[in-house]
Amino acid sequence: MDQNNSLPPYAQGLASPQGAMTPGIPIFSPMMPYGTGLTPQPIQSSNSLSVLEEQQRQQQQQQQQQQQQQQQQQQQAAAAAVQQSTSQQATQGASGQTPQLFHSQTLTTAPLPGTTPLYPSPMTPMTPITPATPASESSGIVPQLQNIVSTVNLGCKLDLKTIALRARNAEYNPKRFAAVIMRIREPRTTALIFSSGKMVCTGAKSEEQSRLAARKYARVVQKLGFPAKFLDFKIQNMVGSCDVKFPIRLEGLVLTHQQFSSYEPELFPGLIYRMIKPRIVLLIFVSGKVVLTGAKVRAEIYEAFENIYPILKGFRKTT
Amino acid sequence: MPGGGRCPDCGSTELVEDSHYSQNQLVCSDCGCVVTEGVLTTTYTDEGNLREVTYSRSTGENEQVSRSQQRGLRRVRDLCRVLQLPPTFEDTAVAYYQQAYQHSGIRAARLQKKEVLVGCCVLITCRQRNWPLTMGTICTLLYADLDMFSGTYMQMVKLLGLDVPSLCLVDLVKTYCSSFKLFEASPSVPAKYVEDKEKMLSRTLQLVELADETWLVTGRHPLPVITAATFLAWQSLRPSDRLTCSLARFCKLANVDLPYPASSRLQELLAVLLRLAEQLAWLQVLKLDKRSVVAHIGDLLQHRHMLVRKAFRDGTAEPGALDTGEEELQGQGWGREDRGHGSLDLPAGKRPASPALLLPPCMLKPPKRICPTPPVSTVTGDENISDSEIEQYLRTPQEVRDFQRAQAARQAATSVPNPP
């Protein structure tokens, strides 16, 4: 189009964004569904009374998982022997349990070294996800969890003024926000406690820490004299991040994956990639850092990263 | 009528219920005589039993365009005319507005958001036809906040499932450069500052292309890079007279706003040019700095593809590829002084500069803080919580009393703001 060269002076002048440009970093609020909790989660609710039952149930689950793994192993042993050895190295943890051997594509429920998964992801671990590139190795990079948002119902109405008065770590400003903001040091978390008895716990780095923190907040509220219970604990959102250590041509990525990506450098320096399966939003930056959010279980974050890594590697060579 | 009634006029039994607009009437079908008629108006008690249907639930809403939507459509057309867009753009933008308006989230939004929606429709239309319109321009015209605009824009793209191509950099350069008032002499622009438009445009395009190749454009707002490139292009076309002019003064002369990041983009671009200059034999001896390199931008741009390949090694390549890169450099003869020698024999000053990593600036800067990997915790979530740990978060009765006293004192102080 040669319209641009024949623009009248007024329109040319307007093509420059004048003073409305915010100096420095453009602020952008991504529309991420924090805390929407729409998918009904089957397992994760528990009262502290039924901990024993839950442990038993989890052990049974684990046994079932291991049985299924062994069956799958036998089926795939011949074909994927080389791949399995590399993925085994990635997934074998120092947990001392029977090393859970997964095909590289089902890296999803691999235990991280040290964390004994008494609180495993309640998804079907053995259904192999359609592999994008069947012969690819796992990336060897594990996303670190940075933030977990969870909710719990304390099961009784609360008097926020009393809580703010008698707790040291609480702040309450009803004109600004209709909840008490409480913080504890270990695990380092923040909770929003509402007068209906519902509570939101943020800032934990793992699911177990989030649950422990929520229990501590519930205990504080109990000690303040309210009949607090611990009902319907549920992880609402998990945020992870990692670094692929090479720069990424975001313009190229948005061209090839247009239906999933949104890249607006005028608004935000990163590319927003909305993966369909699993339903995760990834923020991909030019430096190679990737933020993954929107997960309800840890496995979704790992799966999403394993899906995106081959795509990002495709943009590794510059022209 | 089956009930058995006779028309008083003709005596026929053919009476039908035929309402005249909203008035019920019993009419003889033979002679047309009105036998009985209902009450046209409703009584007060009757109205108490009526249930009103809201406009949004009646069918009238779907048939008519609401006033708010009409206003919005008018605004869309006005904006297209102000921007002097081709007439086809107007129809497309109007169609987008109507499409967006069908969603309940948009229909129920505040007027402020609907105003911003007008801008979004025009922007999307321009982007799809490769017309280089920036969001900043639209926000200025609509007196809108960029945050508000970004939220509405993202929502609209998601709702309508649109495919919006990226801003075309080449078109934006052409449009933006043409807006600089430097192509003819005027009282504010001395003759030595006047420049030929075509020359400046072509050089700016080359500089922007160089910036794009060396990772200065990805992830950043495009306009400050173009401002910096335009400034360098202008300076380099007549360096002797123009080196004294700063970036801020340049924008003021050209009657263009200086975007805040433009100065740091300028520094980055100059650093890249200096690296390229290190690879040119006749420039190596000159020991250029950021001011003196401007005079040689013409030469550097002429050979930019070759120089970028030599000055930078691929920052994304696997570590194994580096060795082959080094050999390639030594093998190429490009008029270098040290062709006969191995690079290890020469002192550091005479050696050609070892290629820098071609990486975005954010990867070249040292990390602000080292984030240690968090220690692996063996938390199960079901541990016992000791009472003492919880006690530390509760106030002692004495503290509670003190706090209450302090609060009361504060209340008293604020309720009497100016004690006599």
Side-chain angles (χ1 to χ4, degrees), chain B residues 82-146:
Chain B
V82 162
L83 290 168
Q84 300 186 333
L85 303 175
T88 48
F89 285 35
E90 209 173 298
D91 300 328
T92 317
V94 161
Y96 277 136
Y97 194 88
Q98 283 169 330
Q99 215 180 334
Y101 217 84
Q102 285 170 8
H103 293 263
S104 57
I106 302 281
R107 226 175 16 243
R110 292 198 152 75
L111 283 178
Q112 193 191 15
K113 189 159 178 179
K114 285 175 178 160
E115 178 75 11
V116 167
L117 188 69
V118 166
C120 294
C121 294
V122 174
L123 179 72
I124 292 174
T125 311
C126 289
R127 282 275 196 94
Q128 290 183 333
R129 315 282 182 100
N130 286 326
W131 189 277
L133 191 61
T134 57
M135 294 188 182
T137 310
I138 302 249
C139 287
T140 318
L141 283 175
L142 295 177
Y143 305 104
D145 189 20
L146 190 65

Side-chain angles (χ1 to χ4, degrees), chain A residues 8 14 17 165 211 216 316, chain B residues 84 137 223 316 382 389 395:
Chain A
L14 285 173
L165 175 64
R211 184 143 182 279
K216 288 190 182 175
R316 197 165 187 174
Chain B
Q84 300 186 333
T137 310
L223 215 83
T316 67
D382 293 315
E389 190 185 349
R395 286 195 172 125

Side-chain angles (χ1 to χ4, degrees), chain B residues 337-411:
Chain B
E337 301 144 346
D338 59 321
R339 202 186 306 185
H341 307 266
S343 60
L344 296 168
D345 297 326
L346 288 175
K350 275 213 172 167
R351 233 189 306 170
S354 60
L357 279 172
L358 186 56
L359 288 175
C362 55
M363 288 181 85
L364 291 172
K365 283 187 284 201
K368 280 183 239 179
R369 52 199 151 120
I370 322 279
C371 298
T373 47
V376 179
S377 65
T378 49
V379 174
T380 60
D382 293 315
E383 288 103 337
N384 278 334
I385 303 169
S386 65
D387 274 350
S388 54
E389 190 185 349
I390 303 296
E391 296 287 325
Q392 68 174 310
Y393 295 120
L394 302 177
R395 286 195 172 125
T396 60
Q398 177 63 36
E399 279 179 21
V400 174
R401 277 195 293 273
D402 291 340
F403 183 71
Q404 277 175 319
R405 214 174 301 143
Q407 260 194 332
R410 194 179 62 114
Q411 289 281 1

Side-chain angles (χ1 to χ4, degrees), chain B residues 53-78:
Chain B
V53 180
T54 55
Y55 180 64
S56 60
R57 290 172 65 199
S58 69
T59 52
E61 199 209 4
N62 294 335
E63 289 159 11
Q64 276 182 352
V65 173
S66 71
R67 216 172 299 165
S68 164
Q69 192 177 354
Q70 283 174 11
R71 198 183 313 132
L73 294 173
R74 262 201 308 273
R75 289 285 292 141
V76 170
R77 290 189 201 277
D78 290 345

Side-chain angles (χ1 to χ4, degrees), chain A residues 1 3-5 7-29 31 46 51 54-55 58 112-116 118-119 144-145 163-170 182-187 205-209 211-212 215-217 219-221 223-224 243 245-251 254-255 258 262-270 272 274 286-289 313 315-319, chain B residues 82-84 86 89 123 127 129-141 144-147 149-151 153-155 158 162-167 171-172 174-176 178-179 181 197 201 212-215 217-224 256-257 259-261 314-319 358-360 362-363 373-387 389-396 399-400 403-404 407:
Chain A
M1 285 187 167
Q3 290 152 342
N4 301 325
N5 293 331
L7 274 182
Y10 187 56
Q12 289 171 8
L14 285 173
S16 67
Q18 301 159 24
M21 225 181 58
T22 47
I25 306 155
I27 307 154
F28 173 77
S29 49
M31 328 255 295
S46 66
V51 161
E54 176 140 284
Q55 279 184 354
Q58 284 162 1
L112 286 187
T115 51
T116 45
L118 274 185
Y119 209 76
Q144 294 285 344
L145 287 181
I163 296 179
L165 175 64
R166 298 188 36 218
R168 282 181 185 153
N169 55 343
M182 195 182 283
R183 297 183 165 87
I184 57 173
R185 279 181 281 275
E186 181 56 47
K205 298 276 191 214
S206 76
E207 305 91 317
E208 299 85 16
Q209 282 185 14
R211 184 143 182 279
L212 179 62
R215 283 177 57 224
K216 288 190 182 175
Y217 287 113
R219 197 65 102 64
V220 169
V221 171
K223 286 222 184 283
L224 289 172
D243 189 0
K245 304 255 194 304
F246 54 82
I248 301 167
R249 287 273 174 210
L250 301 177
E251 308 93 345
V254 77
L255 275 178
Q258 186 283 322
S262 159
Y263 171 55
E264 295 288 339
E266 295 175 82
L267 295 178
F268 188 62
I272 303 167
R274 292 183 194 273
V286 67
S287 56
K289 299 211 168 44
K313 264 209 303 191
F315 286 90
R316 197 165 187 174
K317 286 279 172 284
T318 53
T319 48
Chain B
V82 162
L83 290 168
Q84 300 186 333
F89 285 35
L123 179 72
R127 282 275 196 94
R129 315 282 182 100
N130 286 326
W131 189 277
L133 191 61
T134 57
M135 294 188 182
T137 310
I138 302 249
C139 287
T140 318
L141 283 175
D145 189 20
L146 190 65
D147 297 337
F149 186 86
S150 82
Y153 173 76
M154 303 298 290
Q155 186 188 0
K158 200 172 169 191
L162 294 172
D163 172 5
V164 185
S166 308
L167 196 55
D171 292 334
L172 183 61
K174 290 186 190 153
T175 319
Y176 185 55
S178 314
S179 72
K181 303 258 181 296
K197 185 164 148 185
L201 244 155
D212 196 11
E213 215 178 309
T214 52
W215 293 103
V217 170
T218 309
R220 273 99 169 261
H221 199 295
L223 215 83
V256 164
D257 279 340
Y260 174 72
D314 198 357
T316 67
E318 316 278 349
L358 186 56
L359 288 175
C362 55
M363 288 181 85
T373 47
V376 179
S377 65
T378 49
V379 174
T380 60
D382 293 315
E383 288 103 337
N384 278 334
I385 303 169
S386 65
D387 274 350
E389 190 185 349
I390 303 296
E391 296 287 325
Q392 68 174 310
Y393 295 120
L394 302 177
R395 286 195 172 125
T396 60
E399 279 179 21
V400 174
F403 183 71
Q404 277 175 319
Q407 260 194 332

